[in-house]
Amino acid sequence: MTSKVEPGQWLGVLGGGQLGRMFAQAAQSLGYRVAVYEPAEHCPAGDVADHHFAAAYDNWEQLSAFCERCAAVTVEFENVPPQALEFVAERTRLAPNASAFATARSRRNEKTLFTSLGVDPVPWRYTESPSDIRDAYAELGPDVVLKTNEFGYDGKGQWRIASIDSLENAVSAIGNTPCVMEKRIDLDREFSVVLARADNGDVATFDVVENVHVSGILHTSTVPSCADEAQQDRLVGAARAIAESLDYVGVMAVEFFVAKDGRVYTNEMAPRPHNSGHYTMNGCRSSQFEQQARALAGLPLGSAELHSPTVMINLLGDAWSPVLPLKRLLSQPGVNVHLYGKADAKPGRKMGHINVTAPSAEKVGRLAEYSIEVLGVGATHQG
Ligand code: ADP
Ligand code: MG
C-alpha cells in the first residue's frame, strides 16, 4: 500500500448494487469523487456516482480508463471476475487484495481457511459429481444443505436435503456443478461480526450483531446482541484472525451459527460491508461504509462504538403492497429509512432497510416490533 488518497481524488468501486451506492455516498461525504464500474446501465450505485463506467468486466479499454482515474479501488460484489481484479491490481491500489476475494468467492476456500485458523466451519464435504453428492450424503445425512461452491447469495443456490427423494432431486438439478454439502445445524442463534482493518494493521470491530433470517434472506439485525462476553470475545477473535491471515484492508463481515447444543460454527465471510452492518449507519459513531472509505483512502479508521441500541429491518419487495407505508414509519422518532433507488419492487428483492434506534434495548425492541407490524413482514425472533 502507498500513501493516502486526498479528498478531491477518485475512489473506485467495482459493482453497482446498494453496497456500492452506500459506499459512494459515504466517500462523497469525505470529499472524494467516486467512480462506479458496473455493466448495467442503471444501477443503485451508478445513479449516485460522480462517474459510471457502464461496461463489461472484460472491456479492458474501459477498465483501464477506470484504473487510470481512480487512486484506489474496492469491490462491492464478490463475483467480479478474478481476471478483472488482477487487471485492476496491476494498475492501481486494490483493497481488499485479490487473495481475499479468491478466498471469499469459494465456500470450499473459506471453510479450508477457517479450519486452518481453528475457527471451525459446519461439518462439510466438497462435491463435483452425483457420486460425490451421494457419498457426502452417506457421511453427513440425513439432514443437510447443499450449496453451490460459488455465486450463492441470499439463500440462492442452496438445496435442503432431508430424504433420499430430495437427494435424487438435488442430484438431477446440480449434476457436476461444484458444491459443498453441510450438515444442517439445529440453530439457536445467528451472529455476525463486521470489522474494518487499515493498511497499518489497525482494526476497528463493531459489536457482535444478532441476525434473523427468513427463507435464507436476512430479515433483522439487532445490537446489542444476546451474546455473552465470552461468546463475543470468541466471535470477535475469530473475525480478527481471519482478517489478519488475509492481510485484509477494508471492511469485512463474518457470519456465525450457534447450535442448540451450544456449539459455535463459522459460516461464511464477506469481503465487503455486509447487510448485517447496515445498522451502523444510525447506531454507531462511524458507519461501515465510512470505515470502508477511510480504509481504502488510507485515512485513520473511525470509532466503531455503538451509541444507540439499534434494530435493522430489511425492506424487501414484499413490503410494497402496493407502496411502502412510509408515512407511518417516518412519523416515529428513531426510525430511519434507507432506500436504494430500485424501480421494481419484486418479492425477495432488497429495496432498502430501516434502522430503528432508541435509548434502551427494551425501547428499540418495541419500536422494531411496531415497524415490523406496520410493514407486515414477520418477527424479530427466530423460529
Ligand atoms: P448466503 O450466501 O446465501 O448468505 P448462507 O450459507 O449464509 O448463504 O445461508 C443463508 C442462511 O441459511 C443462513 O444464514 C442460515 O439461516 C441458513 N443456513 C445455511 N446453512 C445452514 C446450515 N448448515 N444449517 C442450518 N441453517 C443453515
Ligand atoms: Mg450468509
Side-chain angles (χ1 to χ4, degrees), residues 227-302:
D228 63 31
E229 224 164 279
Q231 218 162 26
Q232 290 181 38
D233 289 348
R234 178 173 177 177
L235 303 186
V236 166
R240 290 180 75 120
I242 294 166
E244 306 286 335
S245 75
L246 293 168
D247 195 17
Y248 197 88
V249 175
V251 170
M252 187 187 91
V254 184
E255 298 178 8
F256 299 92
F257 294 156
V258 179
K260 292 247 165 68
D261 64 8
R263 282 186 210 215
V264 176
Y265 300 101
T266 308
N267 175 32
E268 61 172 351
M269 61 166 289
R272 47 166 173 78
H274 191 253
N275 197 163
S276 72
H278 289 0
Y279 83 90
T280 61
M281 295 171 82
N282 298 100
C284 296
R285 295 175 70 174
S286 304
S287 78
Q288 62 172 349
F289 300 104
E290 179 174 346
Q291 300 288 52
Q292 183 184 24
R294 289 184 186 223
L296 183 62
L299 299 176
L301 297 177

Side-chain angles (χ1 to χ4, degrees), residues 4-257:
K4 81 179 204 295
V5 184
E6 297 293 342
Q9 286 186 277
W10 288 81
L11 296 177
V13 59
L14 292 160
Q18 63 265 18
L19 300 177
R21 177 183 178 96
M22 293 182 274
F23 162 74
Q25 291 166 331
Q28 287 164 337
S29 289
L30 279 165
Y32 293 100
R33 288 187 284 174
V34 176
V36 166
Y37 197 102
E38 153 70 48
E41 201 62 54
H42 287 288
C43 58
D47 291 351
V48 305
D50 297 280
H51 189 79
H52 176 192
F53 289 85
Y57 289 118
D58 61 358
N59 181 331
W60 309 118
E61 206 175 298
Q62 284 298 301
L63 205 52
S64 169
F66 171 75
C67 294
E68 222 162 272
R69 180 170 307 205
C70 297
V73 168
T74 193
V75 177
E76 65 103 46
F77 153 72
E78 50 263 54
N79 295 321
V80 172
Q83 299 85 328
L85 294 174
E86 271 164 40
F87 186 91
V88 171
E90 281 163 13
R91 285 163 179 79
T92 184
R93 176 199 294 207
L94 175 71
N97 59 44
S99 82
F101 292 110
T103 304
R105 65 184 280 120
S106 148
R107 295 188 189 274
R108 173 163 73 160
N109 291 352
E110 281 176 355
K111 290 174 192 299
T112 304
L113 175 69
F114 298 162
T115 302
S116 77
L117 296 170
V119 296
D120 295 341
V122 169
W124 66 285
R125 285 285 167 269
Y126 178 71
T127 69
E128 46 187 13
S129 69
S131 70
D132 286 352
I133 297 174
R134 293 191 188 102
D135 290 351
Y137 188 70
E139 197 181 329
L140 299 170
D143 199 359
V144 303
V145 188
L146 189 64
K147 305 178 178 180
T148 54
N149 187 49
E150 295 187 2
F151 305 117
Y153 69 98
D154 288 347
K156 293 188 172 65
Q158 297 192 12
W159 290 262
R160 181 174 177 185
I161 303 175
S163 67
I164 295 294
D165 278 354
S166 52
L167 173 68
E168 289 309 318
N169 289 340
V171 163
S172 0
I174 288 160
N176 295 318
T177 306
C179 285
V180 299
M181 184 181 287
E182 295 176 6
K183 219 181 223 319
R184 189 177 155 84
I185 304 300
D186 194 9
L187 293 176
D188 181 32
R189 305 269 175 189
E190 292 191 65
F191 295 113
S192 59
V193 172
V194 180
L195 62 74
R197 189 166 182 275
D199 59 5
N200 66 1
D202 284 353
V203 176
T205 311
F206 292 105
D207 286 12
V208 171
V209 189
E210 185 167 347
N211 300 314
V212 173
H213 292 80
V214 175
S215 309
I217 306 181
L218 185 64
H219 172 45
T220 61
S221 295
T222 300
V223 188
S225 71
C226 68
D228 63 31
E229 224 164 279
Q231 218 162 26
Q232 290 181 38
D233 289 348
R234 178 173 177 177
L235 303 186
V236 166
R240 290 180 75 120
I242 294 166
E244 306 286 335
S245 75
L246 293 168
D247 195 17
Y248 197 88
V249 175
V251 170
M252 187 187 91
V254 184
E255 298 178 8
F256 299 92
F257 294 156

